[in-house]
Amino acid sequence: MPSTSPPTPHDYPTVPLKRFDPGVPAERAARAFYETMRLRRTVREFSDRPVSEETIRQIVAAAGTAPSGANKQPWRFVAVCDPALKRRIREAAEAEEREFYSRRATPEWLADLAPLGTGCEKPFLERAPWLIVVFKTMKADDGGGVYYVNESVGIAVGLLLAAAHHAGLATLTHTPSPMGFLSKVLARPEHERPFLVVPVGYPEEGCRVPDIGRKAVDQILVVNLGGEGPRKTDV
Ligand SMILES: Cc1cc2nc3c(=O)[nH]c(=O)nc-3n(C[C@H](O)[C@H](O)[C@H](O)COP(=O)(O)O)c2cc1C
């Protein structure tokens, strides 16, 4: 007898897709999201205004919806609000950063950083109400393999930043180099490797950010419909 259900690629369980309907045409929804995201900026001056633990839980939950290689979800988010722990992280990060700025960074790297006004002082690591320390996990919870770990965790962090921004919060993507000290300070197991530190909070009143631009979409997008070669814009 012919089956009425659509074919499935294998015999494992499936569920119907719950589709997200933006309620407006795709083009409008896409533009609205862009208009929201273009206001995201890396903030280095945080207010000490509190942010609830529930807010942090929700933005980490959003990050956890990310796709990942073979759905291994190779990430751990450690949310720190304890002032003593934040101070230890700041002290260790600043020690590494002093080495970086005085010895490890190449002249070209320092020149690239100059417009951002960054330096080895990291007061935001204490001032921001939360530090979300992101680890990549080098084995699965059952001890098995993980795949495309950097790609997966990078996508999850992108969602984390977008979720925080959507909640009206500011973030900083911070990469103390090297960051092995985070495993020690936070007592994480060997297979969890530090990936990024993301201070989260409200921006300081009157906060300013570097006057830097973005590439135009035509500089980053190549539309190739085949046949006549690439063209710049869609019809
Ligand atoms: C992987 C990565 C590492 C970064 N590391 C640092 C960092 O250690 N310190 C810092 O102040 N900013 C850091 N940034 C922030 C960038 O400087 C910032 O995203 C860039 O200048 C663009 O500015 P915007 O985010 O305000 O648009 C990092 C960003 C990324 C994506």
Side-chain angles (χ1 to χ4, degrees):
M1 203 168 85
S3 163
T4 50
S5 59
T8 52
H10 50 59
D11 291 334
Y12 290 91
T14 61
V15 292
L17 173 69
K18 287 185 201 150
R19 273 199 65 192
F20 167 66
D21 178 0
V24 293
E27 207 172 292
R28 213 165 118 201
R31 185 171 304 124
F33 187 69
Y34 165 63
E35 292 298 339
T36 300
M37 289 313 299
R38 71 195 295 237
L39 298 177
R40 184 212 56 80
R41 291 300 311 273
T42 294
V43 157
R44 298 179 180 86
E45 294 162 40
F46 284 86
S47 148
D48 58 2
R49 181 177 161 192
V51 170
S52 74
E53 184 180 330
E54 183 56 20
T55 308
I56 298 300
R57 288 185 72 82
Q58 292 303 321
I59 65 175
V60 169
T65 67
S68 61
N71 194 31
K72 294 293 179 170
Q73 306 166 63
W75 42 65
R76 180 88 58 227
F77 300 89
V78 180
V80 179
C81 70
D82 171 36
L85 213 43
K86 286 196 293 183
R87 173 177 291 262
R88 285 181 62 197
I89 290 173
R90 175 183 176 179
E91 283 168 359
E94 287 183 341
E96 296 293 7
E97 294 282 306
R98 276 193 289 277
E99 271 290 303
F100 174 80
Y101 280 92
S102 62
R103 265 186 277 278
R104 279 199 297 265
T106 60
E108 186 187 3
W109 199 340
L110 290 176
D112 282 338
L113 288 175
L116 306 177
T118 55
C120 34
E121 297 295 313
K122 305 292 173 194
F124 49 75
L125 290 174
E126 279 190 87
R127 178 110 170 131
W130 291 93
L131 304 179
I132 301 181
V133 185
V134 184
F135 290 82
K136 58 181 180 182
T137 60
M138 304 311 289
K139 61 182 185 194
D141 294 340
D142 62 2
V146 285
Y147 315 99
Y148 298 107
V149 171
N150 289 322
E151 293 84 347
S152 302
V153 182
I155 293 169
V157 170
L159 294 186
L160 182 85
L161 302 183
H165 178 66
H166 186 72
L169 297 169
T171 53
L172 161 59
T173 314
H174 182 38
T175 40
S177 166
M179 50 182 132
F181 69 88
L182 291 163
S183 303
K184 251 192 225 147
V185 172
L186 298 171
R188 301 312 304 167
E190 208 276 322
H191 72 281
E192 293 185 11
R193 308 272 163 81
F195 190 75
L196 283 171
V197 182
V198 185
V200 181
Y202 290 95
E204 189 67 281
E205 197 68 38
C207 170
R208 296 181 68 85
V209 292
D211 183 11
I212 51 176
R214 280 285 188 267
K215 293 180 187 175
V217 69
D218 283 340
Q219 290 175 280
I220 61 172
L221 172 66
V222 175
V223 178
N224 195 323
L225 299 176
E228 293 155 28
R231 66 177 188 182
K232 275 192 164 171
T233 47
D234 211 341
V235 276

